[in-house]
Amino acid sequence: MAGRVDALYFFLVGLAVFFSALIAGLIVYYAVRYRRRDPDEVGAAIHGSLALEVAWTVIPLGITMVLFVWGASVFFAMSRPPDETINVYVVGKQWMWKFQHLDGQREINELHVPVGRAVKLIMTSEDVIHDLFVPAFRTKADVLPGRYTNLWFQATTPGRYHLFCAEYCGTRHSGMIGEVIAMDPADYQAWLSGGGGEGSLASKGEKLFADLACNTCHRPDAQGRGPVLKGLFGRTQTLEGGGSVVVDESYVRESILNPGAKITAGFQPIMPSFQGLVSEEQLLELVEYVKSLGAEPQATPAGPAPAAPAPAGTAPARQ
Ligand code: CUA
């Protein structure tokens, strides 16, 4: 994204320099050209010029429309991650960044990624608003308590890149920094297979799901008191009382913390809240477990569900 952002930025700078020079130059030129030459001189009365007014309306309109369309296209590209991404969960807290890979690796203030692959960060905060900023990638997004925000990038050159918190978040805000380590795919695989060992995020979620007795109501058959979770993720769910919702990370999270907010049609609002009982990291494990239960290959234009297992560390956006 860096090239596109830079091109737009330098165009803006060039535009500002051009008009600054033009205006400053004309001020000097007119001051000399139209100076008063004799004390009794009276200026000519000028009553408007349609051509001039049309020109100074239409030309700026054209320039700002170019900026708008150009800026919007860059913004859309930054906002829409590709379908195939490596997903990493991020939890910001005063004052550190915690990264959680799907295979179970955890990192603090360091994020290892492969070059040449799109990486999507699914981010939340344990306390106040933070903002994850990687200047070299020209990418930046707020990290908010109580919801998930996304950011994606694709590193192109191996190396270590600064990572900052870009939202004032308290005393040690300036120390809330780290590094993104972009590695060759082979090195990344080697890094992934070393360490970890605690099991994947989804498997920890499955254990937690049983520990919290979620499985007594959310049973795999349709006999439970709660909706069947298998094949749920990514689907559009009809709600009690009308409306619908797409089952994404935010909806699963909300349903755990505030189950009464959006009840699936045909069910009673009997689920207790798990607010305060599960940490942000446990929430991520549960979300990833629900994701791992898969989505039905329902009427997607993409055709049949991918048959081959994705390479390690890969997670299609809708599993
Ligand atoms: Cu976190 Cu500033």
Side-chain angles (χ1 to χ4, degrees):
M1 206 56 72
R4 295 185 65 181
V5 173
D6 289 356
L8 179 59
Y9 176 74
F10 287 121
F11 180 75
L12 282 167
V13 171
L15 204 60
V17 167
F18 172 76
F19 278 103
S20 301
L22 180 70
I23 291 166
L26 286 179
I27 288 172
V28 173
Y29 172 73
Y30 288 153
V32 175
R33 174 84 173 72
Y34 297 106
R35 71 187 186 280
R36 179 180 285 191
R37 286 152 214 257
D38 119 44
D40 297 330
E41 192 176 347
V42 175
I46 297 171
H47 298 283
S49 159
L50 184 63
L52 197 58
E53 291 194 22
V54 168
W56 78 41
T57 305
V58 169
I59 292 172
L61 178 70
I63 293 171
T64 46
M65 283 300 116
V66 166
L67 290 177
F68 167 67
V69 172
W70 189 351
S73 81
V74 174
F75 178 80
F76 280 130
M78 291 176 116
S79 314
R80 292 185 183 151
D83 289 339
E84 280 279 313
T85 53
I86 294 175
N87 292 352
V88 180
Y89 286 102
V90 182
V91 178
K93 66 173 281 193
Q94 289 168 321
W95 288 277
M96 64 171 79
W97 293 107
K98 296 192 276 191
F99 297 97
Q100 174 74 69
H101 296 259
L102 295 189
D103 288 355
Q105 283 84 354
R106 293 158 177 276
E107 305 187 72
I108 289 181
N109 295 341
E110 275 196 348
L111 172 60
H112 288 76
V113 296
V115 297
R117 294 284 306 276
V119 176
K120 182 167 90 170
L121 306 182
I122 303 164
M123 313 188 292
T124 189
S125 167
E126 276 185 28
D127 36 48
V128 299
I129 300 176
H130 303 279
D131 188 303
L132 193 133
F133 181 31
V134 187
F137 301 166
R138 311 290 191 274
T139 191
K140 181 167 177 283
D142 273 1
V143 177
L144 308 170
R147 75 174 88 161
Y148 292 126
T149 52
N150 292 334
L151 177 157
W152 80 277
F153 59 81
Q154 182 164 330
T156 52
T157 313
R160 305 173 81 92
Y161 302 96
H162 286 298
L163 165 80
F164 294 101
C165 178
E167 180 75 44
Y168 181 66
C169 56
T171 316
R172 301 234 312 109
H173 156 70
S174 63
M176 193 168 165
I177 55 177
E179 275 187 325
V180 178
I181 296 139
M183 312 168 86
D184 281 322
D187 296 341
Y188 176 71
Q189 283 309 329
W191 177 84
L192 264 190
S193 48
E198 295 176 61
S200 74
L201 214 51
S203 69
K204 282 190 269 187
E206 182 175 12
K207 181 171 180 304
L208 190 60
F209 193 78
D211 290 349
L212 293 169
C214 310
N215 53 1
T216 57
C217 292
H218 292 287
R219 289 168 43 178
D221 53 29
Q223 307 303 313
R225 286 177 293 171
V228 175
L229 300 183
K230 187 166 168 51
L232 186 65
F233 200 87
R235 252 171 50 186
T236 303
Q237 190 80 311
T238 309
L239 298 177
E240 191 72 30
S244 64
V245 65
V246 175
V247 181
D248 58 7
E249 290 93 355
S250 297
Y251 177 63
V252 175
R253 175 202 171 84
E254 180 186 60
S255 298
I256 295 168
L257 298 179
N258 184 13
K262 298 192 182 85
I263 301 286
T264 303
F267 289 90
Q268 296 296 312
I270 52 170
M271 176 170 158
S273 167
F274 286 82
Q275 186 91 51
L277 297 176
V278 287
S279 67
E280 284 298 340
E281 275 142 73
Q282 289 175 319
L283 271 171
L284 299 180
E285 294 168 6
L286 289 170
V287 167
E288 203 48 43
Y289 172 60
V290 173
K291 249 187 186 178
S292 74
L293 295 175
E296 282 176 353
Q298 52 148 23
T300 46
T314 300
R318 294 280 178 262
Q319 285 184 331

